[in-house]
Amino acid sequence: PAWAALLRWFGDLASFGLGTSLVTGERVWDEVAHQLGATLRLSAAAVAIGVAIGGPLGVRAGMRPGGWADRSTLVLAAALRAMPPFLLAVLLMMVASVWLGALPAAGEHDGGLLLPAATLGLGLAAGLARVVRAAVRTALASPSHEFLRTCGLTDAQALRHHGLRHAAVPVLAWLGVQTVFLVEGAVVVETLFAWPGIGHALVHAVFGRDVPMIQGTALCMGLLFVVFNFAIDSACLWADPRRRAGVPR
């Protein structure tokens, strides 16, 4: 009966058993552990690309509003955020794999991580640049920054030594939420590039009607959401001492 099967599943879950895949015959826990590792590697590479591109552009745009960097990041952010991920993935495949022949179009080996990471990272960089720009503008307009300017520091020095930590709180919060979406929402990108991640595994499990794998992947995605949110709150608490002291912001 359904109630007995549900109780048995909860009992297996309490002993860290997720059952056996109906397609491969392997333990779901072993399958999910490998796929989750691949997804986390892809997400970490995408975040690294997004921070490396969007962070400096956002700081530059925030320090010089209305300049070329500000206008360029606005256009870039609008274009990349409006472009569907599958379209960006196909364009990168055409350029890097078909025309240049520099990177493989699919797979896990021989640089196969770069194209899916770039697909996710470029969209992340576009949004991150605007968030960093707004956070930097807020930091530059704060009374603490004005005080540092009266002490003889330049805008760049005050921002580097004090303002960046002030601007890090909203950036960390936004970046953490986007990281959760990267881990849980990379289904299309992983499928296009045949990347063996948890999103790709979930799609195959749905088409194969592999119920234990669907349950295992969905459970891991839910746990990841909780863990990432806890990590985000901890990072924001570390970055903002006013939260630890209970001082109103």
Side-chain angles (χ1 to χ4, degrees):
W3 64 268
L6 180 61
L7 289 178
R8 187 183 306 115
W9 185 78
F10 277 120
D12 293 338
L13 186 62
S15 59
F16 299 99
L18 298 178
T20 304
S21 172
L22 301 180
V23 176
T24 64
E26 301 290 335
R27 292 189 353 170
V28 173
W29 181 260
D30 297 335
E31 295 271 351
V32 169
H34 171 73
Q35 295 149 0
L36 182 59
T39 296
L40 291 178
R41 282 192 288 121
L42 174 60
S43 299
V47 170
I49 292 174
V51 171
I53 297 175
L57 286 177
V59 172
R60 176 83 177 183
M63 294 190 66
R64 292 177 175 82
W68 67 268
D70 191 16
R71 293 193 297 268
S72 300
T73 54
L74 179 59
V75 174
L76 182 65
L80 288 178
R81 298 299 286 182
M83 184 179 297
F86 71 87
L87 178 58
L88 180 59
V90 172
L91 291 177
L92 290 177
M93 282 183 186
M94 291 294 296
V95 174
S97 300
V98 179
W99 294 345
L100 300 179
L103 294 171
E108 187 178 4
H109 306 289
D110 300 326
L113 175 64
L114 294 178
L115 284 183
T119 302
L120 296 172
L122 289 176
L124 183 66
L128 181 63
R130 303 311 297 173
V131 173
V132 172
R133 188 254 186 201
V136 168
R137 293 304 304 161
T138 302
L140 293 178
S142 64
S144 60
H145 182 81
E146 294 295 330
F147 174 74
L148 293 173
R149 292 286 287 117
T150 60
C151 293
L153 275 70
T154 64
D155 282 334
Q157 291 173 333
L159 183 65
R160 183 170 60 253
H161 293 293
H162 302 280
L164 286 181
R165 186 168 182 177
H166 176 81
V169 177
V171 174
L172 281 174
W174 184 87
L175 191 59
V177 173
Q178 296 301 312
T179 304
V180 174
F181 290 152
L182 285 180
V183 174
E184 297 189 349
V187 177
V188 174
V189 174
E190 288 182 353
T191 304
L192 284 173
F193 289 99
W195 183 258
I198 196 169
H200 188 221
L202 179 59
V203 172
H204 279 274
V206 170
F207 282 111
R209 298 183 180 180
D210 193 351
V211 176
M213 277 296 298
I214 296 174
Q215 292 174 332
T217 52
L219 178 64
C220 286
M221 287 183 175
L223 290 176
L224 277 177
F225 186 82
V226 175
V227 171
F228 270 113
N229 274 281
F230 177 76
I232 294 165
D233 291 340
S234 301
C236 292
L237 188 65
W238 168 82
D240 192 351
R242 294 171 298 179
R243 296 190 178 190
R244 296 196 299 270
V247 177
R249 291 170 290 158

